Amino acid sequence: MTEMVRKITLSRAVRIMRNLFPEEYNFYPRSWILPDEFQLFAAQVQMVKDGDPSWKPTFIVKPDGGCQGDGIYLIKDPSDIRLAGTLQSRPAVVQEYICKPLLIDKLKFDIRLYVLLKSLDPLEIYIAKDGLSRFCTEPYQEPNSRNLHHVFMHLTNYSLNVHSSNFIHSDNASTGSKRTFSSILCRLSSKGVDIKKVWSDIISLVIKTVIALTPELKVFYQSDIPTGRPGPTCFQILGFDILLMKNLKPMLLEVNANPSMRIEHEHELSPGVFENVPSLVDEEVKVAVIRDTLRLMDPLRKKRESQSQQLEKASVEKEDPLDSELAGVPDTNPEAQLPSICLKQVFPKYAKQFNYLRLVDRMANLFIRFLGIKGTMKLGPTGFRTFIRNCRLSSSSLSMAAVDILYIDITRRWSSMTLDQRDSGMCLQAFIEAFFFLAQRKFKMLPLHEQVASLIDLCEYHLSLLDEKRLVCGRSGTVGGRSPPHLPHQDTCPPPCANGADKFSHPRPTVP
Ligand code: ADP
């Protein structure tokens, strides 16, 4: 998980989804990976500037794997990156800076929301009903050359702002530099804001982000935890950092794999002498998250759950997304004495609305199937050939020699880009790129996500036939009565170019 939420990995994962579903994945600022995409970044910015000379963007540069605002700075022009020397020192992400955040008391703030990934397969996601809002300590102004370096104005990190003389430690959840998110929602609601809509946008952002992260996570998981044996029960509490824009649209800033669970802060008694003081706001939010996580992961819970589900069925489900699914359910077990459940299940609860987005997940399943030796995360040339053969993807216009060239070309390019050099072969991202390429040439006339979905259907169909064949092996007769998936317009095109099609060769999104 730590690998998955690094800034570069997250940006790549969201970008793949954005290429497939541009409308659904516009909640993450457009990002470029440095140093690899510096030229692309500079060229795209220049292109938009040429078209609109009044466009004066700001970008934020964040070192990969950094945290607590470490090494982050704002720039107005791509050339400023070179001046700062980041290119040489550390890989980083540069992304559009959200210039118009929602302000409260003239201050920028962000939201830390806790999300429990209870299980990967089947996917189970819970969201905490309350989170933290962390405030800047200097009144916000849109970025200009004079205030670009004012960290207390632009960065909401607690670890930075706590050093400001303006930082207010408050025991009240609705004042001070750290407040509960529910207190912010209350305030917005009193101003007439539709907070149900804000909340459901946040839920959808969380589910979509997890959907973007799980494919590669599954590859990591299978390499560590062998199948067929009862494995450990893994779960993870994630910290989502979200910024609300002035128009109330939530934007994802980053995901933390190890969010701080501290419920106290340091108080300086005299110069250099500190004592730990309980922080009631942290306590209110975090204790509930930990308690509910333990309760949900409790192995004995299943028994009680089935009882409570029966009761739940009897109760009328409320529409308000903030309502806990279990709230209001009369409970006879001793846990009923505890405050109401704070973690709300959102997946599979809303699976129907989001399952169509899980295309990369299905590609990852194919990838894992052909990995071969357990413990690896990269596909060898034989595995890739077997994938092509078993899924019947080669044809007169795609020879096995062309398949080998495709493999070598894409694998080599990704190997030079990825940080993980542990073993050689085709990583999941390279496989996805190859898959996009194959889908594009086979189903030319369709939009990208339909091309990909059609190819996945086709692969799954041939593999299921193969599985059936293996099952009935020894028995006589033909294989099942299955019919192939509906195949839209198929087309052929010349074999893959040796220099490799441009990554995701459909039109790249441009800077808005
Ligand atoms: P870190 O892991 O170092 O905390 P973040 O990605 O969370 O890095 O960024 C630190 C802070 O910078 C955020 O809390 C937020 O206040 C601000 N920030 C980050 N990205 C953006 C952005 N694209 N637009 C506006 N502010 C941002």
mmCIF file of all heavy atoms in Angstrom, residues 326-342:
data_model
loop_
_atom_site.group_PDB
_atom_site.id
_atom_site.type_symbol
_atom_site.label_atom_id
_atom_site.label_comp_id
_atom_site.label_asym_id
_atom_site.label_seq_id
_atom_site.Cartn_x
_atom_site.Cartn_y
_atom_site.Cartn_z
ATOM 1 N N LEU A 326 -25.780 1.173 9.883
ATOM 2 C CA LEU A 326 -26.280 0.446 11.043
ATOM 3 C C LEU A 326 -26.980 1.351 12.049
ATOM 4 O O LEU A 326 -27.495 0.899 13.044
ATOM 5 C CB LEU A 326 -25.130 -0.286 11.746
ATOM 6 C CG LEU A 326 -24.422 -1.352 10.901
ATOM 7 C CD1 LEU A 326 -23.324 -2.008 11.722
ATOM 8 C CD2 LEU A 326 -25.403 -2.402 10.414
ATOM 9 N N ALA A 327 -26.935 2.655 11.793
ATOM 10 C CA ALA A 327 -27.545 3.574 12.750
ATOM 11 C C ALA A 327 -29.024 3.279 12.907
ATOM 12 O O ALA A 327 -29.712 2.956 11.945
ATOM 13 C CB ALA A 327 -27.364 5.014 12.283
ATOM 14 N N GLY A 328 -29.461 3.373 14.115
ATOM 15 C CA GLY A 328 -30.887 3.195 14.356
ATOM 16 C C GLY A 328 -31.307 1.743 14.462
ATOM 17 O O GLY A 328 -32.454 1.451 14.765
ATOM 18 N N VAL A 329 -30.365 0.812 14.203
ATOM 19 C CA VAL A 329 -30.743 -0.596 14.296
ATOM 20 C C VAL A 329 -30.680 -1.002 15.765
ATOM 21 O O VAL A 329 -29.635 -0.878 16.398
ATOM 22 C CB VAL A 329 -29.757 -1.481 13.484
ATOM 23 C CG1 VAL A 329 -30.079 -2.946 13.657
ATOM 24 C CG2 VAL A 329 -29.804 -1.083 12.032
ATOM 25 N N PRO A 330 -31.801 -1.463 16.340
ATOM 26 C CA PRO A 330 -31.749 -1.862 17.737
ATOM 27 C C PRO A 330 -30.784 -3.031 17.893
ATOM 28 O O PRO A 330 -30.820 -3.981 17.123
ATOM 29 C CB PRO A 330 -33.189 -2.282 18.043
ATOM 30 C CG PRO A 330 -33.861 -2.443 16.732
ATOM 31 C CD PRO A 330 -33.110 -1.684 15.726
ATOM 32 N N ASP A 331 -29.867 -2.924 18.798
ATOM 33 C CA ASP A 331 -28.847 -3.945 18.938
ATOM 34 C C ASP A 331 -28.912 -4.529 20.338
ATOM 35 O O ASP A 331 -28.977 -3.796 21.312
ATOM 36 C CB ASP A 331 -27.478 -3.291 18.702
ATOM 37 C CG ASP A 331 -26.460 -4.311 18.255
ATOM 38 O OD1 ASP A 331 -26.667 -5.497 18.553
ATOM 39 O OD2 ASP A 331 -25.472 -3.902 17.624
ATOM 40 N N THR A 332 -28.858 -5.839 20.397
ATOM 41 C CA THR A 332 -28.975 -6.460 21.707
ATOM 42 C C THR A 332 -27.622 -6.883 22.265
ATOM 43 O O THR A 332 -27.525 -7.298 23.403
ATOM 44 C CB THR A 332 -29.885 -7.693 21.617
ATOM 45 O OG1 THR A 332 -29.463 -8.452 20.491
ATOM 46 C CG2 THR A 332 -31.355 -7.313 21.488
ATOM 47 N N ASN A 333 -26.568 -6.791 21.435
ATOM 48 C CA ASN A 333 -25.282 -7.240 21.963
ATOM 49 C C ASN A 333 -24.620 -6.136 22.781
ATOM 50 O O ASN A 333 -24.994 -4.968 22.692
ATOM 51 C CB ASN A 333 -24.387 -7.793 20.830
ATOM 52 C CG ASN A 333 -23.779 -6.700 19.972
ATOM 53 O OD1 ASN A 333 -23.253 -5.717 20.486
ATOM 54 N ND2 ASN A 333 -23.890 -6.867 18.670
ATOM 55 N N PRO A 334 -23.586 -6.504 23.588
ATOM 56 C CA PRO A 334 -23.001 -5.520 24.503
ATOM 57 C C PRO A 334 -22.418 -4.305 23.798
ATOM 58 O O PRO A 334 -22.294 -3.240 24.383
ATOM 59 C CB PRO A 334 -21.898 -6.312 25.208
ATOM 60 C CG PRO A 334 -22.054 -7.730 24.809
ATOM 61 C CD PRO A 334 -22.964 -7.805 23.646
ATOM 62 N N GLU A 335 -22.034 -4.463 22.507
ATOM 63 C CA GLU A 335 -21.453 -3.334 21.782
ATOM 64 C C GLU A 335 -22.440 -2.182 21.625
ATOM 65 O O GLU A 335 -22.059 -1.066 21.296
ATOM 66 C CB GLU A 335 -21.003 -3.777 20.389
ATOM 67 C CG GLU A 335 -19.771 -4.639 20.414
ATOM 68 C CD GLU A 335 -19.319 -4.978 19.010
ATOM 69 O OE1 GLU A 335 -19.895 -4.445 18.069
ATOM 70 O OE2 GLU A 335 -18.410 -5.792 18.885
ATOM 71 N N ALA A 336 -23.708 -2.508 21.812
ATOM 72 C CA ALA A 336 -24.728 -1.475 21.647
ATOM 73 C C ALA A 336 -24.497 -0.317 22.617
ATOM 74 O O ALA A 336 -24.973 0.795 22.401
ATOM 75 C CB ALA A 336 -26.104 -2.068 21.864
ATOM 76 N N GLN A 337 -23.738 -0.593 23.682
ATOM 77 C CA GLN A 337 -23.466 0.461 24.662
ATOM 78 C C GLN A 337 -22.507 1.501 24.091
ATOM 79 O O GLN A 337 -22.434 2.621 24.570
ATOM 80 C CB GLN A 337 -22.849 -0.137 25.941
ATOM 81 C CG GLN A 337 -23.645 -1.282 26.566
ATOM 82 C CD GLN A 337 -25.112 -0.945 26.753
ATOM 83 O OE1 GLN A 337 -25.453 0.148 27.176
ATOM 84 N NE2 GLN A 337 -25.994 -1.874 26.399
ATOM 85 N N LEU A 338 -21.734 1.099 23.052
ATOM 86 C CA LEU A 338 -20.751 2.017 22.485
ATOM 87 C C LEU A 338 -21.446 3.045 21.595
ATOM 88 O O LEU A 338 -22.535 2.781 21.088
ATOM 89 C CB LEU A 338 -19.735 1.232 21.648
ATOM 90 C CG LEU A 338 -18.843 0.273 22.442
ATOM 91 C CD1 LEU A 338 -18.115 -0.667 21.496
ATOM 92 C CD2 LEU A 338 -17.844 1.051 23.277
ATOM 93 N N PRO A 339 -20.802 4.203 21.389
ATOM 94 C CA PRO A 339 -21.413 5.211 20.499
ATOM 95 C C PRO A 339 -21.656 4.626 19.101
ATOM 96 O O PRO A 339 -21.030 3.634 18.732
ATOM 97 C CB PRO A 339 -20.359 6.317 20.444
ATOM 98 C CG PRO A 339 -19.469 6.100 21.593
ATOM 99 C CD PRO A 339 -19.516 4.652 21.925
ATOM 100 N N SER A 340 -22.529 5.269 18.334
ATOM 101 C CA SER A 340 -22.961 4.683 17.068
ATOM 102 C C SER A 340 -21.783 4.472 16.101
ATOM 103 O O SER A 340 -20.766 5.127 16.164
ATOM 104 C CB SER A 340 -23.991 5.584 16.393
ATOM 105 O OG SER A 340 -23.322 6.701 15.876
ATOM 106 N N ILE A 341 -21.957 3.509 15.229
ATOM 107 C CA ILE A 341 -20.913 3.146 14.280
ATOM 108 C C ILE A 341 -20.498 4.359 13.444
ATOM 109 O O ILE A 341 -21.337 5.051 12.898
ATOM 110 C CB ILE A 341 -21.472 2.066 13.325
ATOM 111 C CG1 ILE A 341 -21.956 0.844 14.087
ATOM 112 C CG2 ILE A 341 -20.491 1.715 12.238
ATOM 113 C CD1 ILE A 341 -20.931 -0.172 14.434
ATOM 114 N N CYS A 342 -19.186 4.606 13.369
ATOM 115 C CA CYS A 342 -18.749 5.778 12.592
ATOM 116 C C CYS A 342 -18.312 5.388 11.196
ATOM 117 O O CYS A 342 -18.293 6.210 10.298
ATOM 118 C CB CYS A 342 -17.655 6.529 13.318
ATOM 119 S SG CYS A 342 -16.000 6.053 12.882
#
